[in-house]
Amino acid sequence: MIKIILSATLTLLMAFNSYSQEFELASTLSNTTIESSGLIHISNRLFTHNDSGDNPHLYEISKITGEVVRTITINGAKHMDWEDMCSDDTHVFIADMGNNAGSRTDLLVYKIRIEDLLSKESVDTEEIHFSYADQFDFTSTDRTTEFDAEAIVTIEDKLYIFTKNWTSYRTNIYELPKSPGTYSISRIKEMEVGGLITGGVYNQHSNSVLLVGYELIFVFLSPFMIEISGITNGSFEGVYVTKSGLNVPSGMSPQIESVTHNNVNGYYITAEESPFGASGLYTLSNGFATNNAFVTKKVRVRYPTRTQRNLIISYPELTINSIYGVNGSLLIKTEDPKIITDHLQRGMYILRISDTSNQILLTKKFIVQ
């Protein structure tokens, strides 16, 4: 007997509400910033920095072409693994906290003046050093740590770090003072997110945090965004969490890495270059609309049962439906919304559904037993 069992990951994602948004490619990024990992929008100007391995530079980029228009050097800083940045009314905070192996003991945030950033080619910095109060083991591991982090936001007089938990697909939230110094910071909240968090921004207009990231599904990346609303005085207790997928155009990288807001409901997002495609700068408008008029068209999948052996896809438009093995080998590709699964051996598979323009609508694991 063949039976399909949904993975725990799919069950989690189904628990979140999904809303539509206008997510559009503005431009590719220049060769200088193909590893864009942090993003801020200040005085109608857009700034980014690269992932690990670059010089201690911030880059002002064109919102139209993605080209670098100005390079700013951070005096005295080192670029170990810059992963995100955020800004308040007076300062920019650059987080050197990438920690894939969980072994770093030199985590810090660089603090620079916005006035300097906007007017100078090189700027001085202050340093905020920190460690996690609940980390006791610094043995190097291969992407299994809960002490990697790629998202930092500022809310009022505090910074908030969201970790990238490689195995649990959760995020831990830590609170960090903005004043220069050395701190041991405590976890204030743990949240289920169903993926790897890679960037974030606080929107004071909506009093919400927008996180971006992706889910690793064997050889595929499935990008998403999460809105956390109902934040009270920096507390994440009793908040509302809304999750939605991001449909990246064909040929573009799904490795979403950074986000910043440009108005009440508008955002810029970048994706770094990856084996899956080119780096890109995106605009996002409408965000998570609360008006029912914006509810997205949902893909619905009915999986085989003991008496019904077909996998049936329901969507108002034509879709391209593919089933892959866990090694990425393509087993089935069809436009037929009914897929016969009788011939599939027992094991885990990946279902990927795209529209006719190759926009990915759904990527999910399932098990044939």
Side-chain angles (χ1 to χ4, degrees):
M1 177 183 72
I2 296 179
K3 183 179 180 182
I4 302 292
I5 298 177
L6 300 187
S7 70
T9 301
L10 177 57
T11 303
L12 165 67
L13 296 183
M14 297 277 288
F16 289 101
N17 292 325
S18 179
Y19 295 96
S20 71
Q21 68 286 141
E22 296 176 13
F23 181 65
E24 297 179 346
L25 178 66
S27 67
T28 56
L29 294 174
S30 74
N31 289 335
T32 305
T33 58
I34 57 175
E35 291 192 8
S36 172
S37 187
L39 202 61
I40 52 173
H41 186 254
I42 300 174
S43 298
N44 204 34
R45 295 157 71 175
L46 194 60
F47 299 85
T48 189
H49 63 72
N50 281 319
D51 206 333
S52 60
D54 196 10
N55 293 313
H57 292 159
L58 295 184
Y59 302 96
E60 183 176 349
I61 61 175
S62 167
K63 293 183 284 187
I64 305 300
T65 66
E67 292 296 319
V68 173
V69 298
R70 189 164 150 262
T71 300
I72 304 95
T73 300
I74 313 300
N75 296 328
K78 297 180 180 179
H79 193 313
M80 296 296 292
D81 197 352
W82 293 9
E83 287 295 355
D84 201 13
M85 60 180 169
C86 60
S87 63
D88 58 18
D89 293 336
T90 58
H91 289 85
V92 173
F93 303 88
I94 307 165
D96 190 342
M97 59 185 184
N99 192 22
N100 287 342
S103 59
R104 286 188 62 181
T105 57
D106 57 352
L107 306 174
L108 79 158
V109 174
Y110 293 107
K111 179 180 180 178
I112 65 175
R113 296 172 57 196
I114 288 177
E115 180 182 355
D116 292 342
L117 174 66
L118 297 178
S119 61
K120 299 180 180 181
E121 301 306 312
S122 62
V123 301
D124 294 329
T125 182
E126 298 177 287
E127 297 181 358
I128 306 169
H129 297 260
F130 70 93
S131 59
Y132 300 108
D134 51 342
Q135 182 177 10
F136 306 103
D137 185 358
F138 293 86
T139 304
S140 180
T141 61
D142 184 17
R143 300 187 182 188
T144 60
T145 181
E146 290 192 354
F147 299 101
D148 190 11
E150 296 191 7
I152 188 169
V153 306
T154 171
I155 304 176
E156 298 178 353
D157 63 342
K158 295 290 195 302
L159 299 170
Y160 294 88
I161 293 170
F162 295 79
T163 61
K164 180 182 184 181
N165 294 11
W166 284 92
T167 56
S168 68
Y169 272 15
R170 302 174 71 86
T171 188
N172 303 326
I173 307 174
Y174 293 83
E175 185 180 271
L176 177 65
K178 290 183 177 179
S179 300
T182 301
Y183 303 93
S184 176
I185 58 176
S186 299
R187 183 184 307 188
I188 64 170
K189 181 71 175 177
E190 182 177 355
M191 298 181 64
E192 189 78 59
V193 290
L196 302 175
I197 299 300
T198 57
V201 65
Y202 174 70
N203 188 334
Q204 61 182 352
H205 302 291
S206 58
N207 186 32
S208 63
V209 169
L210 187 70
L211 301 175
V212 294
Y214 52 83
E215 182 184 359
L216 281 171
I217 305 178
F218 297 108
V219 294
F220 298 102
L221 298 183
S222 182
F224 61 77
M225 61 182 183
I226 292 175
E227 184 187 56
I228 304 173
S229 58
I231 302 165
T232 306
N233 298 323
S235 172
F236 290 85
E237 297 298 331
V239 295
Y240 300 95
V241 179
T242 310
K243 186 171 184 177
S244 177
L246 293 171
N247 295 328
V248 176
S250 177
M252 301 301 295
S253 171
Q255 192 171 331
I256 301 296
E257 288 286 339
S258 62
V259 59
T260 189
H261 67 82
N262 62 359
N263 56 45
V264 176
N265 289 315
Y267 296 85
Y268 289 105
I269 291 175
T270 60
E272 73 172 54
E273 185 180 63
S274 72
F276 303 98
S279 61
L281 171 65
Y282 297 86
T283 58
L284 173 71
S285 58
N286 288 338
F288 288 87
T290 55
N291 187 322
N292 287 336
F294 291 103
V295 174
T296 188
K297 294 177 287 187
K298 294 182 179 179
V299 178
R300 291 181 171 83
V301 181
R302 189 172 73 183
Y303 293 86
T305 65
R306 183 176 301 178
T307 58
Q308 171 57 264
R309 298 295 182 88
N310 293 334
L311 186 152
I312 301 174
I313 297 165
S314 177
Y315 191 70
E317 299 172 6
L318 182 67
T319 59
I320 301 170
N321 314 307
S322 304
I323 293 179
Y324 296 84
V326 296
N327 62 353
S329 59
L330 179 63
L331 304 177
I332 300 174
K333 185 173 184 179
T334 179
E335 295 178 358
D336 193 334
K338 294 183 179 180
I339 303 176
I340 299 173
T341 61
D342 279 354
H343 63 289
L344 295 179
Q345 297 181 355
R346 295 181 179 182
M348 187 168 289
Y349 297 89
I350 303 164
L351 171 66
R352 170 164 283 197
I353 303 174
S354 306
D355 63 18
T356 53
S357 62
N358 286 325
Q359 294 275 341
I360 298 170
L361 304 175
L362 183 90
T363 303
K364 289 290 172 280
K365 296 180 288 188
F366 65 93
I367 297 174
V368 174
Q369 287 191 340

